[in-house]
């Protein structure tokens, strides 16, 4: 099932499913915003507004925050203004903290900002889970609900037994902490299959679908959903 999108630089969007797909964005209407370093979030919100209007599927758009945005103590207030201005539900947006934070103890301003974002109704993710010594502390103190696994742990994981053992431990650790996991940059059926076996909750990457315009993505979602309904099932039960 399709569970969301990831808004990434260069006006691309990535779809994710529960065990999805890079997509590129539609044309974003030019719209003035008083926050120059806020533009990537504004673009993500425009995409959310488009999907709210055109898609019949529930979705969440994940947008990675820059260091500048994370350090902005007014981030939640500015985001609330944008959500209201564009009439987008907060629950359709998940904000991903930068990977480099995994190397440091979470600061009080960061914890406060995450608390304000959760109060607003947005989800919070952590990029690079498994890449630094403070991943667990960040999840516990910042209210993370999605751990985005460090890509170096998932690339060619089906071909490297040691990497598979490490990844298994990372997925288990995230689940023990009560958060879902997402593996990005999935390129092959082998990687996808192994991640499914290890219990990873969501995957995304070129191995699921190529980048596409957002209006093409809605068509892709419909086609993908139809394929799922046509999957063969067991008739009469198993004896």
């Amino acid at each position: 099932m399709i569970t969301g999108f990831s808004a990434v630089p260069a006006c691309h969007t990535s779809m994710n499913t529960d065990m999805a797909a890079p997509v590129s964005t539609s044309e974003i209407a030019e719209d003035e915003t008083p926050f120059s370093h806020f533009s990537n979030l504004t673009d993500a919100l425009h995409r959310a507004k488009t999907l709210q209007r055109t898609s019949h599927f529930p979705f969440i758009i994940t947008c990675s925050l820059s260091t500048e945005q994370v350090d902005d103590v007014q981030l939640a207030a500015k985001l609330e203004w944008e959500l209201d201005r564009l009439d987008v539900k907060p629950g359709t947006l998940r904000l991903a903290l930068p990977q480099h934070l995994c190397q440091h103890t979470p600061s009080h301003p960061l914890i406060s900002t995450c608390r304000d974002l959760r109060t607003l109704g947005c989800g919070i993710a952590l990029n690079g889970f498994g890449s630094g010594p403070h991943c667990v502390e960040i999840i516990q103190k910042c209210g993370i609900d999605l751990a985005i696994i460090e890509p170096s742990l998932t690339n060619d994981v089906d071909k490297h037994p040691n990497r598979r053992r490490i990844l298994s431990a990372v997925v288990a650790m995230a689940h023990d902490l009560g958060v879902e996991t997402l593996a990005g940059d999935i390129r092959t059926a082998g990687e996808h299959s192994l991640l499914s076996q290890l219990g990873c909750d969501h995957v995304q990457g070129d191995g699921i679908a190529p980048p596409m315009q957002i209006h093409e993505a809605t068509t892709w979602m419909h086609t993908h959903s139809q394929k799922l309904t046509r999957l063969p099932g067991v008739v009469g039960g198993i004896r």
Side-chain angles (χ1 to χ4, degrees):
M1 299 295 294
I2 298 163
T3 56
F5 296 82
S6 291
V8 297
C11 287
H12 284 77
T13 304
S14 234
M15 230 186 290
N16 54 279
T17 69
D18 58 352
M19 272 318 326
V23 291
S24 125
T25 67
S26 62
E27 295 181 1
I28 304 298
E30 292 186 3
D31 205 344
E32 292 296 328
T33 173
F35 316 120
S36 58
H37 68 278
F38 209 66
S39 58
N40 66 322
L41 279 176
T42 302
D43 286 352
L45 293 175
H46 275 289
R47 295 163 199 168
K49 185 174 182 178
T50 299
L51 286 170
Q52 280 184 174
R53 187 175 63 251
T54 61
S55 174
H56 299 293
F57 301 91
F59 65 90
I60 295 176
I61 289 185
T62 300
C63 183
S64 292
L65 295 173
S66 66
T67 301
E68 185 180 12
Q69 289 167 337
V70 169
D71 292 340
D72 186 350
V73 295
Q74 295 297 319
L75 176 62
K78 294 176 180 179
L79 181 57
E80 183 176 17
W81 186 89
E82 288 283 82
L83 288 165
D84 184 65
R85 183 174 71 94
L86 296 173
D87 192 26
V88 174
K89 298 177 181 178
T92 63
L93 186 66
R94 179 186 283 124
L95 304 173
L97 303 180
Q99 177 174 338
H100 71 82
L101 294 178
C102 296
Q103 305 296 328
H104 309 282
T105 298
S107 65
H108 290 296
L110 173 63
I111 296 171
S112 178
T113 294
C114 290
R115 183 187 63 241
D116 293 341
L117 291 172
R118 293 198 311 273
T119 300
L120 186 58
C122 299
I124 305 176
L126 175 63
N127 278 313
F129 183 72
S131 67
H134 295 282
C135 293
V136 171
E137 189 177 5
I138 291 174
I139 284 179
Q140 292 175 327
K141 293 184 177 181
C142 295
I144 306 297
D145 56 70
L146 178 70
I148 303 175
I149 299 171
E150 161 61 31
S152 65
L153 298 177
T154 60
N155 292 157
D156 295 324
V157 66
D158 54 317
K159 301 176 183 177
H160 299 281
N162 286 337
R163 192 174 302 174
R164 181 164 64 249
R165 285 188 281 270
I166 294 171
L167 179 60
S168 177
V170 167
V171 171
M173 179 169 60
H175 289 164
D176 286 344
L177 291 168
V179 300
E180 294 188 342
T181 50
L182 183 150
D185 196 28
I186 299 307
R187 301 165 297 179
T188 68
E191 292 172 352
H192 190 175
S193 177
L194 185 59
L195 282 158
S196 178
Q197 294 174 37
L198 294 178
C200 188
D201 298 294
H202 311 271
V203 295
Q204 67 181 39
D206 288 348
I208 312 300
M212 62 187 82
Q213 295 294 326
I214 205 164
H215 65 275
E216 296 173 328
T218 54
T219 301
W220 187 92
M221 286 190 292
H222 179 72
T223 302
H224 180 76
S225 179
Q226 286 185 323
K227 288 179 180 178
L228 292 180
T229 62
R230 293 196 296 266
L231 288 175
V234 177
V235 178
I238 299 176
R239 298 183 181 184

